[in-house]
Amino acid sequence: MTSEKLLSDFKVVLKKEGLKVTPQRIAVLEEIIKDKGHRESEDIYMAIKIRKTHVSRATVYRTLDILVQNGFARKLNLGDGRARYETKIDSPHHDHIICNECGKIIEFVNDEIEKIQEEIAKQYQFKLQQHIHQLFGLCKKCQ
Amino acid sequence: MTSEKLLSDFKVVLKKEGLKVTPQRIAVLEEIIKDKGHRESEDIYMAIKIRKTHVSRATVYRTLDILVQNGFARKLNLGDGRARYETKIDSPHHDHIICNECGKIIEFVNDEIEKIQEEIAKQYQFKLQQHIHQLFGLCKKCQ
DNA sequence: ATATATGCAAAGGATTTGCAGCTAC
DNA sequence: GTAGCTGCAAATCCTTTGCATATAT
């Protein structure tokens, strides 16, 4: 998606929700799509802070919520008490392998696993809504 | 495993680690094996408090750590900021399906998924150490 | 003009930690 | 006797919130 399209989509969403277009919100959006990584709120805050717009941590958190709620970003829980955020734009579903040593994160998808998950949910009469699937270990370098 | 055996195993472990056998530690061990559920530290604290031994939250946390480190318990992260603990005694590996509405937790295992995970790790040259696999949705009652 | 944002600092909630007194061994 | 506990309250860490001021529309 072009960044013009994205920005206009974001503005439409904000309008729809009765929210205003502010420099801070644009900055967080730009930051989340610029980097394909899995970053903490603090990283995004620092990146915006250093490069341009005046922003506060509170506003970063508030804006990240808006992005997550409206399909622009995903929030990840890696079990260490700090949320990670990644762009959802042009980024299909995937899960993660995380290195316990250096923190490196690789994305993976496996259709077979996705299918089995559905079967398991059916077996227990659950209606599946989301899932978390994370593999932890040592990457090649850290072994 | 009989609870006598378990208790004596626990004492051996404590000794090995240079730790003392205290009523609080015994109480946390008993509590973790008594209930097959997935409980928060607070629940375990309350259960012990109400039924017998004088204990503090700090000691419950400290003892749960000892139990986890020594293979008596597992610590679960369900993504809501509160850790859950479950017995690991006579309890083989499994993952969890959680109801988003009522919080009900069901355990599942699927050998096929376990196998594919290993393949994925190999493919990315990771040495697998642990994994988290949680399915979230609505249970039969909550749909 | 005014409804909504922002920034700040204070509040939250789970968990951890420092320390003085207590208890296993 | 003494190394190792325990309880308490204070401290942490990430995240959220209240509120007065600022800004988008």
Side-chain angles (χ1 to χ4, degrees), chain B residues 89-102:
Chain B
I89 301 303
D90 298 331
S91 163
H93 165 71
H94 56 260
D95 295 299
H96 300 92
I97 310 185
I98 301 107
C99 179
N100 278 325
E101 193 63 28
C102 67

Side-chain angles (χ1 to χ4, degrees), chain A residues 7 10 13-14 17 19-33 41 44-45 48 53-75 85-86:
Chain A
L7 186 58
F10 186 46
V13 165
L14 290 177
E17 305 252 337
L19 303 173
K20 290 174 178 171
V21 177
T22 65
Q24 287 81 0
R25 285 177 177 162
I26 303 285
V28 175
L29 173 70
E30 288 178 344
E31 205 44 60
I32 208 76
I33 57 170
S41 163
I44 295 166
Y45 165 71
I48 296 171
T53 313
H54 178 64
V55 75
S56 67
R57 270 175 258 264
T59 293
V60 171
Y61 277 112
R62 286 188 277 234
T63 306
L64 286 171
D65 274 351
I66 295 172
L67 293 175
V68 170
Q69 295 311 317
N70 291 283
F72 291 87
R74 288 192 196 93
K75 185 175 184 176
Y85 296 87
E86 62 175 8

